[in-house]
Amino acid sequence: AHSCAEATRHADGGFAPDVVVLDVRLPDGDGYALAAELCRLLPVRPVLVAVTGLVGQDGRSRAAGFDHHFLNCLLYTSD
């Protein structure tokens, strides 16, 4: 899914993933809130993996119930 709304629709429609890889900054909402909503909607809690470009968010991810947290780094080079 590319948005909170799309992910919620899939969960409401019966899609039950074993693992959810989730950016915590989505175009239409908060990934932390979406993780909680998916856990509420799904019959079995999936493994939650947070991915973000924000440094220092691993503690917040753990507090929000994420099982894993990865920093999505961009490498900049000058030409």
Side-chain angles (χ1 to χ4, degrees), residues 52-73:
T52 182
L54 300 172
V55 176
Q57 295 296 306
D58 51 326
R60 183 173 178 197
S61 294
R62 297 268 185 223
F66 282 86
D67 300 291
H68 304 282
H69 176 95
F70 294 99
L71 184 60
N72 181 13
C73 298

